[in-house]
Amino acid sequence: MRSFVFPEFEIIRDEERCGSCRGCERQCALGTHAYDPVADRLVSDDRKCAGCQRCVIFCPQKAIVVRPSPSFYRPNASWSREKIEDLKRQAETGGVLLTGCGSDKPFRIYWDHILLNASQVTNPSIDPLREPMELRTFLGRKPEMLEISREGKEVEIKTELYPNLTVETPILFSAMSFGAISYNAFKSLATAACRSGTYFNTGEGGLPREMRGEFGRCAIVQVASGRFGIDAEYLNVAQAVEIKVGQGAKPGIGGHLPGEKVSAAVAETRMIPQGTDAISPAPHHDIYSIEDLSTLITALKEATNYEKPISVKIAAVHNFAAIASGIVRAGADIIAIDGLRGGTGAAPKAIRDNVGIPTELAISSLDRRLREEGIRNRSSIIAAGGFRSSSDVIKAIALGADAVYIGSAALIAMGCTLCQKCYTGNCNWGICTQNPRLSGRLNVEIASQRLSNLISAWSHEIREMLGGMGINALESLRGNRDHLRGVGLYEWELDVLGIKGAGE
Amino acid sequence: MDRKRRSRRELYTKEICACSIFGAMNREGDRFTGEGVMKAIASMRVRGNGLGGGFAAYGIYPDHRDLYAFHLMFTGPTDPARRAAKQELEAFLARKFDVYFDEEIPTDDSVFVRDPPLLWRYFVLPRKEGEDAEMTEEEYIVREIMAVNSKIENAYVFSSGKNMGCFKGVAYPEEIGEYFMLDRLYRGHTWTVHGRFPTNTQAWWGGAHPFGLLDTTVVHNGEVSSYGTNRWYLEMYGYACTLQTDTEVIAYAADLLMRRQKLPIEIVAKILAPPIWAAIDRMDEKEKRLMTALRMTYGPLLMNGPFAVIIGETGRMIGLTDRIRLRPLTAATRGEIFYISSEEASIRLISPHLDRVWTPRGGEPVIAEMKGYEKGSEESYEKGSEKSYERIC
Amino acid sequence: MMTKAAVSKVRPGSAPKAGSSAGAVAVSIDASGLETRELNDRLRELLLSGAKRVEISHVCGQRYIGTRLYTPERHLMEIDIRGTAGNDLAAFLSGHKITVEGNAQDGVGNTMDSGEVVVRGRAGDVLGFSMRGGEIYVRDGCGYRAALHMKDCEGKRPVLVVGGGAQDFLGEYMAGGVVIILDRDGESHESSFMGTGMHGGVIYLRGTARVDQVGAQVEISPADEADRELIEEYVSRYLDRFPEVDMTKDEIMASPFVRLTPRSKRPYSGLYAY
Ligand code: SF4
Ligand code: SF4
């Protein structure tokens, strides 16, 4: 059937500059560029291009420009080009529209409407270059109080302490499974996490055996509805176990890793046969109630000898704060909430762009809810979904998060351009692919260096901003909404965020 | 605007101030009038601006030593409003307490102070009935004070301990002292004083220092930049932070940690002003474990930003500064008298020949204890003070 | 006999204690009055002290028995349970052998990795959920959603043999492994939605099954010679474990068997528009 959809991108090649080196042809795994030996020139099929900009950046002559195709339908406020084309695609295939990455729809980004405070006169600002500035954070349950016995100089803690994760900066790498991303991308995240004093999250794809010894010390391992790659060793080499209930990009539904992405190595790690669809059912079939969740949490604590904090990750949806409070009561030591703009390797577009609530609002309501119920110390909050910069992170902390998960930001650090074609398995940047020719493009040394650089740059910026507020330990900013003000927000939004308007 | 909805936005306006603090204790328990401390605080007049001053005096009500002395402030805009608040308060007290004796707090009206509220004191014992019978007296009183301060409009309990009392208001501290006739009517074994420099001008009598809950009082110089964080943590434990000042959260933190959780002051100091991680990482395993557990558990109570405080209790007086010492504090002894002050000069003024003078280190408490009240280990107190002593003299 | 007073408050660490000799003898624990966590503390302590066989009497609802027995050194032991084992028996089990002299509840063998579970009685819902290795034998029947998302790989192939019948959603999302339902007294298989979303592994049912009882992704075919050989082997093992069963191997094998297998390894490949 002939497709009635415009090519999304237009490829312009400057024939003057192009030296026919055929570099672009090699770079594009989608087969966009081809060499015509008769004419001795390169030709491009716009229709195949995903707009990932790989060929543009790697063209030695800088001869290529890839830009959104300028063709348009008659302008119509209701029927945008995207709406028309999505509809046509479905008419042509009868399928569910798939997409990758977090929602790109123009929902309000609250980070851009929140401003930070700084000290003037009454409270000295602190210079992080010379004075201590502490970002160390503990994730896990904290006791209500410490009982301390004292015999002369000997001080003894009598209260039982719960296992906690220690992070040197409040930024962790979000769950991205080996399978969804390439081995090299996965290993780069692990390497950078270990180097930067933080953690990576295996997602639901298991942890390759050869990585367990070296990277277990900075791994959070996931137990998701598909139960892939789980054995007792997997649970025990990690520092924390996360039960994945939901994901911001696709709340309420499961996922499939399509069979073509299930390579031999992926199959081995997930502990399934090569080439089968790896199906994660929508619910965990051993969790139909909060009672059952509590059973799984305890089972995992048992399986890890009560030595690891157990996290539960849920998508931020309308009534999630009440559910989260139940999850805390069910014994979760960490609660990870993934908001509307959370990324994914593959999700139905209808779900990604229409289900959930923004991370910012979610953090605030969850923190408030747990405080009001007096159980905030029983569980740490890790917020996920749409963190783009250090200022987003510090605002999240002031709204009540203990730490954040970054996913897309980490991928962008490695080269991702948010082309949203992750689900095709042909990521030209070697990130979301199992094709060895493509994943080989990602050098673990370099990619992990880029990630570590990002973490250290953001951490430094966070120290600067903290110092400006006259605070020298991150724990003193947590939930400290006094240091935030809103601009351009409605009254109800300020209410939910629990912040005053600027100048108020 | 619907108040309930608005309240979700935590619309507090926090007051910011810089101040002078002073404390004196007779460790033998002999009592003395407020004259000396008034003189000392007056010498630091430049550190205040006349918008707040106050005193906490211990041992002043020996005749009612077994009753809780509630000092009340009725602050309505008009006299009838104050009387109405008083009536409501008394109805409340009648339900919850046995009131043994009450009277207006005597004042010298020849001393000029702005907008004085109606000031009254009640000597009471809790009447715990039904389910409340299980509670300790102190828990009960704290809960009821929180109820008065957050629910009864224009009524505010500003002192609630046994055999002690707070006196405060909007004026220079020495004027407050004269207004309450502290140099003539009262004799105490421990006095703490505060002179205030708030940056806003609409001073409120209730906002002056000290802040107290039961017999714990706090006078404070500084600004706590962790206020929002400290506040939510305390609210989880039932403390209503109604006064929007840093000092209130320090007072509640002290109450929570020292009275309710029974932690020794050395530990409390490490919670409010913990050592930095770089220092903790250098400690031996056992100490590291303790400090890590403290910071992990009580991170939200770290008082970040500059502060110096004097915490008073029956029989004890504790001076503490923030962990990087952004506000001054000097301690001194002369015989059985123990002094803590923002400035050495004010101590010298009333006691020129001191035995010892020293500047305590950031985050390390100085503790003065009265005979018969020693709770902490003598050793750590000596250790803390000696170390600082050598550094200074 | 261990008494409750002997239960230590301190959780055992992961290093085996040197010089202990509990291994030589079988040990018994009286579980009456023990909390789940206390019982499992006790089991872990015994494992680390080298015990090879433990008998637990008066079990009544204690959960996660066998779950906390993984050690990097892979110490193994055999556990005999008398009473009713609580939920998530043998969850994440790593190599141990557990026998229940009585019934088991929900979640037996949840995400089990290896080892063997024998239930001399019946089992509840979600039996063998996401199991990826080892064997489970249940003398009588089991509840809903048995063998859900069972999978195999790396030479591991989980096996679930149920002597009685199984209720609805047997083998949902199944991705590997072998399930044999002997339905000793019925052969009727009243359950529905068998194998919905199945994309790997095989289910054998003694007797027959109708098309409307299975998911759209499932193919029903009669067991062939090779299938029957495999079934026969597991029937023998089943009878070895349950000598009290009043049927012989020949009697069981006299019936026909059907085989349920997935039509595709990729049940949902046509679902999306790219
Ligand atoms: S998909 Fe990427 S590499 Fe291929 S033509 Fe488009 S921009 Fe270039
Ligand atoms: S990971 Fe690759 S495929 Fe996915 S958005 Fe980034 S560049 Fe595109």
Side-chain angles (χ1 to χ4, degrees):
Chain A
M1 200 188 298
R2 185 185 174 82
S3 174
F4 296 164
V5 178
F6 289 144
E8 271 188 89
F9 296 93
E10 181 186 35
I11 297 164
I12 302 164
R13 181 177 283 98
D14 185 336
E15 299 290 346
E16 292 285 290
R17 290 188 179 192
C18 175
S20 297
C21 72
R22 301 178 65 177
C24 51
E25 190 187 9
R26 286 188 300 277
Q27 290 300 334
C28 186
L30 306 176
T32 311
H33 307 290
Y35 178 62
D36 178 346
V38 179
D40 184 26
R41 60 191 279 267
L42 280 126
V43 289
S44 303
D45 177 357
D46 290 1
R47 208 168 275 284
K48 291 182 177 161
C49 172
C52 79
Q53 306 294 344
R54 178 86 188 179
C55 59
V56 177
I57 288 165
F58 278 77
C59 172
Q61 302 297 329
K62 302 280 168 276
I64 309 176
V65 172
V66 173
R67 62 181 190 194
S69 105
S71 316
F72 62 91
Y73 301 94
R74 186 191 176 89
N76 183 319
S78 173
W79 288 96
S80 65
R81 173 168 161 185
E82 185 183 357
K83 286 270 184 286
I84 292 175
E85 298 201 330
D86 281 352
L87 187 149
K88 287 185 175 186
R89 269 190 205 105
Q90 293 189 290
E92 285 159 16
T93 62
V96 170
L97 290 165
L98 261 196
T99 185
C101 305
S103 180
D104 55 6
K105 297 294 167 283
F107 294 108
R108 175 167 279 180
I109 295 170
Y110 289 90
W111 305 131
D112 298 339
H113 292 263
I114 296 177
L115 298 171
L116 292 166
N117 193 20
S119 302
Q120 300 289 297
V121 185
T122 56
N123 181 353
S125 38
I126 305 168
D127 181 348
L129 290 179
R130 289 188 309 270
E131 308 234 9
M133 187 57 67
E134 310 188 306
L135 304 187
R136 189 178 293 179
T137 297
F138 294 94
L139 301 172
R141 179 173 184 172
K142 315 292 187 296
E144 212 99 318
M145 58 169 287
L146 289 180
E147 203 185 321
I148 287 191
S149 73
R150 201 173 55 162
E151 305 264 342
K153 274 169 105 174
E154 286 296 291
V155 178
E156 234 21 281
I157 306 172
K158 288 163 75 188
T159 312
E160 187 187 341
L161 297 172
Y162 305 96
N164 268 247
L165 283 181
T166 311
V167 277
E168 296 300 336
T169 185
I171 306 162
L172 295 84
F173 296 129
S174 203
M176 286 174 275
S177 68
F178 171 41
I181 60 172
S182 66
Y183 186 80
N184 285 2
F186 188 78
K187 196 165 175 186
S188 303
L189 288 164
T191 309
C194 285
R195 199 187 290 148
S196 305
T198 182
Y199 297 84
F200 74 105
N201 187 315
T202 61
E204 53 182 311
L207 181 59
R209 272 186 212 290
E210 75 282 1
M211 283 181 65
R212 290 183 178 181
E214 187 180 350
F215 299 104
R217 69 187 168 88
C218 32
I220 297 174
V221 294
Q222 249 190 6
V223 170
S225 63
R227 299 293 155 85
F228 298 116
I230 297 171
D231 58 22
E233 185 188 82
Y234 168 80
L235 299 174
N236 279 284
V237 294
Q239 301 312 306
V241 181
E242 182 167 275
I243 300 170
K244 179 195 163 186
V245 172
Q247 182 179 347
K250 41 181 173 180
I253 67 164
H256 320 145
L257 185 68
E260 54 262 25
K261 270 190 157 182
V262 182
S263 66
V266 169
E268 195 191 321
T269 307
R270 296 202 170 209
M271 305 174 186
I272 52 170
Q274 190 178 345
T276 47
D277 279 354
I279 298 177
S280 296
H284 287 247
H285 281 285
D286 52 355
I287 307 178
Y288 289 162
S289 68
I290 196 90
E291 210 287 305
D292 292 345
L293 174 65
S294 154
T295 304
L296 180 59
I297 291 173
T298 316
L300 289 169
K301 288 187 177 176
E302 284 280 339
T304 53
N305 199 29
Y306 294 87
E307 288 164 8
K308 327 264 176 197
I310 307 295
S311 164
V312 174
K313 178 176 182 177
I314 54 169
V317 292
H318 302 177
N319 195 26
F320 85 102
I323 299 159
S325 136
I327 293 174
V328 173
R329 290 171 199 282
D333 303 302
I334 299 172
I335 184 144
I337 37 161
D338 197 7
L340 182 62
R341 283 184 302 275
T344 176
K349 199 172 180 186
I351 305 250
R352 186 195 73 173
D353 293 342
N354 293 286
V355 184
I357 65 171
T359 311
E360 302 90 321
L361 302 181
I363 296 170
S364 181
S365 3
L366 177 56
D367 175 60
R368 175 189 295 118
R369 175 83 184 213
L370 298 184
R371 282 198 269 136
E372 281 171 358
E373 295 186 11
I375 54 175
R376 181 65 181 80
N377 56 318
R378 283 209 220 159
S379 186
S380 293
I381 299 175
I382 307 184
F387 290 96
R388 307 154 305 166
S389 63
S390 59
S391 59
D392 293 354
V393 175
I394 199 167
K395 289 169 191 173
I397 306 272
L399 284 176
D402 288 274
V404 308
Y405 269 141
I406 56 167
S408 304
L411 297 189
I412 293 170
M414 289 193 280
C416 165
T417 56
L418 295 183
C419 74
Q420 307 193 15
K421 296 288 183 195
C422 323
Y423 58 90
T424 62
N426 282 321
C427 174
N428 280 324
W429 291 91
I431 298 169
C432 268
T433 177
Q434 299 307 322
N435 175 340
R437 188 168 76 80
L438 299 176
S439 56
R441 292 176 177 181
L442 197 77
N443 176 307
V444 174
E445 243 339 283
I446 298 171
S448 62
Q449 190 58 50
R450 297 176 74 101
L451 288 164
S452 301
N453 288 348
L454 178 77
I455 297 282
S456 81
W458 282 18
S459 304
H460 189 76
E461 287 179 336
I462 290 173
R463 289 193 186 96
E464 291 277 0
M465 288 183 273
L466 267 186
M469 289 184 252
I471 292 178
N472 61 8
L474 191 64
E475 62 237 57
S476 296
L477 185 68
R478 191 155 293 121
N480 200 341
R481 292 170 174 75
D482 200 23
H483 288 283
L484 302 176
R485 291 291 185 277
V487 274
L489 295 175
Y490 290 112
E491 190 86 28
W492 73 264
E493 292 168 308
L494 293 170
D495 282 347
V496 174
L497 291 166
I499 63 175
K500 290 197 252 186
E504 257 192 278
Chain B
M1 184 81 209
D2 169 359
R3 263 190 84 186
K4 196 160 157 269
R5 259 174 67 83
R6 295 273 308 196
S7 71
R8 298 185 63 194
R9 276 169 55 194
E10 302 172 17
L11 273 174
Y12 48 81
T13 307
K14 197 178 62 144
E15 293 191 0
I16 294 172
C17 57
C19 316
S20 54
I21 56 179
F22 189 88
M25 166 188 274
N26 184 315
R27 288 181 285 176
E28 292 292 331
D30 294 338
R31 302 188 300 136
F32 50 97
T33 69
E35 192 184 343
V37 290
M38 281 163 65
K39 199 168 145 197
I41 201 83
S43 76
M44 293 189 282
R45 198 175 168 109
V46 290
R47 299 183 70 93
N49 67 354
L51 289 179
F55 297 74
Y58 291 83
I60 54 170
Y61 296 132
D63 298 345
H64 305 285
R65 67 170 75 238
D66 298 323
L67 302 176
Y68 292 92
F70 283 8
H71 288 190
L72 262 292
M73 209 175 256
F74 304 103
T75 55
T78 59
D79 198 48
R82 293 171 197 170
R83 296 278 157 199
K86 180 164 178 281
Q87 249 177 13
E88 194 181 339
L89 181 271
E90 284 175 358
F92 179 88
L93 282 186
R95 283 198 305 280
K96 302 280 189 173
F97 293 90
D98 291 320
V99 180
Y100 287 83
F101 171 63
D102 73 284
E103 64 178 351
E104 187 163 4
I105 300 176
T107 52
D108 179 349
D109 295 330
S110 67
V111 177
F112 175 76
V113 289
R114 255 188 293 173
D115 303 327
L118 177 58
L119 295 154
W120 213 270
R121 61 187 166 206
Y122 300 85
F123 292 88
V124 306
L125 279 179
R127 194 166 66 235
K128 299 181 293 175
E129 284 167 344
E131 283 177 15
D132 295 342
E134 302 285 296
M135 292 176 96
T136 65
E137 266 188 9
E138 295 179 332
E139 293 293 332
Y140 180 86
I141 291 177
V142 169
R143 188 187 68 189
E144 299 311 332
I145 291 176
M146 294 297 153
V148 171
N149 289 356
S150 56
K151 300 208 183 90
I152 303 184
E153 213 174 333
N154 296 332
Y156 166 53
V157 183
F158 65 98
S159 184
S160 49
K162 283 180 180 172
N163 197 11
M164 58 80 63
C166 295
F167 303 90
K168 63 184 185 180
V170 177
Y172 280 104
E174 59 278 17
E175 291 164 359
I176 293 295
E178 284 162 20
Y179 183 66
F180 285 103
M181 299 176 281
L182 300 180
D183 49 347
R184 286 175 271 161
L185 300 184
Y186 303 92
R187 296 168 69 81
H189 49 70
T190 308
W191 291 80
T192 64
V193 205
H194 187 259
R196 187 153 182 257
F197 195 140
T199 47
N200 58 353
T201 48
Q202 283 181 327
W204 173 56
W205 277 62
H209 298 205
F211 285 94
L213 198 57
L214 297 164
D215 72 335
T216 304
T217 59
V218 174
V219 290
H220 161 240
N221 168 17
E223 182 185 349
V224 175
S225 38
S226 52
Y227 178 78
T229 303
N230 306 144
R231 173 189 159 111
W232 73 248
Y233 190 81
L234 291 164
E235 280 174 350
M236 270 193 1
Y237 290 89
Y239 295 94
C241 298
T242 46
L243 305 172
Q244 290 116 32
T245 80
D246 299 331
T247 315
E248 184 188 26
V249 302
I250 298 179
Y252 295 161
D255 183 70
L256 173 69
L257 299 172
M258 288 164 45
R259 182 181 61 77
R260 278 168 68 179
Q261 302 192 350
K262 308 214 167 8
L263 293 171
I265 177 63
E266 294 81 358
I267 296 292
V268 173
K270 295 295 171 225
I271 290 169
L272 304 182
I276 58 170
W277 283 115
I280 294 175
D281 290 344
R282 284 192 301 269
M283 291 173 180
D284 67 51
E285 272 316 308
K286 203 168 162 219
E287 212 179 348
K288 188 191 286 181
R289 207 178 98 84
L290 174 69
M291 288 302 155
T292 305
L294 288 175
R295 283 198 72 173
M296 226 174 88
T297 308
Y298 295 110
L301 284 182
L302 191 168
M303 300 287 154
N304 218 307
F307 74 82
V309 290
I310 302 175
I311 300 172
E313 270 187 342
T314 302
R316 291 209 296 173
M317 182 171 77
I318 300 145
L320 180 69
T321 64
D322 63 84
R323 57 199 197 133
I324 51 175
R325 251 198 55 124
L326 296 167
R327 289 287 152 98
L329 199 70
T330 299
T333 57
R334 167 72 184 174
E336 65 284 357
I337 311 281
F338 198 115
Y339 299 101
I340 303 176
S341 172
S342 296
E343 296 182 16
E344 182 179 334
S346 61
I347 306 176
R348 293 273 179 201
L349 182 73
I350 53 174
S351 182
H353 305 290
L354 295 167
D355 300 338
R356 289 165 56 194
V357 189
W358 72 100
T359 308
R361 303 183 56 162
E364 277 184 22
V366 273
I367 306 162
E369 281 176 335
M370 214 164 77
K371 236 195 204 150
Y373 286 91
E374 296 91 344
K375 296 195 226 176
S377 72
E378 192 58 32
E379 227 169 311
S380 72
Y381 147 61
E382 283 300 338
K383 181 176 136 233
S385 50
E386 284 305 331
K387 195 157 50 183
S388 321
Y389 180 65
E390 276 158 23
R391 273 159 50 90
I392 295 305
C393 299
Chain C
M1 170 83 65
M2 299 284 168
T3 61
K4 185 169 177 177
V7 174
S8 142
K9 281 269 172 259
V10 181
R11 273 198 313 284
S14 50
K17 285 178 198 125
S20 58
S21 57
V25 278
V27 194
S28 55
I29 302 177
D30 181 354
S32 26
L34 284 191
E35 296 288 336
T36 291
R37 193 154 155 180
E38 292 170 327
L39 174 58
N40 291 336
D41 281 349
R42 204 65 213 102
L43 281 173
R44 187 170 173 93
E45 243 167 47
L46 289 171
L47 178 77
L48 294 176
S49 68
K52 295 280 176 263
R53 239 191 109 80
V54 178
E55 193 184 292
I56 317 172
S57 58
H58 303 107
V59 172
C60 190
Q62 286 91 343
R63 296 180 172 192
Y64 323 112
I65 298 176
T67 299
R68 215 189 315 157
L69 300 181
Y70 161 82
T71 60
E73 303 81 9
R74 317 266 161 167
H75 300 84
L76 293 182
M77 70 180 179
E78 283 181 29
I79 302 169
D80 275 315
I81 295 172
R82 291 170 201 279
T84 306
N87 291 3
D88 271 15
L89 168 73
F92 305 104
L93 189 73
S94 192
H96 308 278
K97 182 174 175 193
I98 299 180
T99 307
V100 184
E101 303 292 341
N103 292 338
Q105 305 192 135
D106 299 345
V108 175
N110 186 343
T111 323
M112 170 170 164
D113 178 72
S114 51
E116 184 179 311
V117 179
V118 175
V119 180
R120 201 176 304 285
R122 58 173 300 282
D125 292 348
V126 284
L127 164 67
F129 170 54
S130 271
M131 175 183 179
R132 49 178 302 275
E135 297 180 0
I136 299 179
Y137 297 90
V138 177
R139 189 187 65 192
D140 306 331
C142 66
Y144 268 59
R145 295 193 161 83
L148 196 149
H149 216 170
M150 196 188 235
K151 26 183 122 55
D152 61 37
C153 160
E154 294 179 332
K156 278 189 182 158
R157 195 181 192 200
V159 178
L160 170 64
V161 183
V162 176
Q167 292 173 307
D168 292 4
F169 294 102
L170 169 70
E172 189 181 10
Y173 286 111
M174 190 164 155
V178 180
V179 176
I180 303 175
I181 307 293
L182 297 177
D183 211 353
R184 279 196 335 261
D185 2 77
E187 289 184 40
S188 53
H189 302 287
E190 286 307 324
S191 58
S192 310
F193 307 109
M194 287 187 279
T196 44
M198 185 173 181
H199 53 291
V202 56
I203 300 174
Y204 296 110
L205 302 174
R206 184 159 161 267
T208 54
R210 295 186 313 274
V211 176
D212 62 288
Q213 286 179 288
V214 303
Q217 299 81 6
V218 178
E219 185 149 321
I220 309 178
S221 41
D224 61 21
E225 261 325 293
D227 291 327
R228 289 189 65 91
E229 240 170 67
L230 182 84
I231 297 169
E232 197 172 325
E233 191 194 325
Y234 282 102
V235 169
S236 321
R237 293 198 201 179
Y238 170 82
L239 291 172
D240 287 349
R241 281 153 183 80
F242 307 113
E244 68 272 27
V245 166
D246 58 358
M247 279 177 98
T248 63
K249 182 163 78 180
D250 293 342
E251 280 168 341
I252 293 175
M253 292 307 296
S255 317
F257 276 84
V258 289
R259 176 180 72 196
L260 310 188
T261 45
R263 290 178 198 278
S264 155
K265 293 209 294 185
R266 310 272 327 269
Y268 301 109
S269 56
L271 190 62
Y272 299 109
Y274 287 106

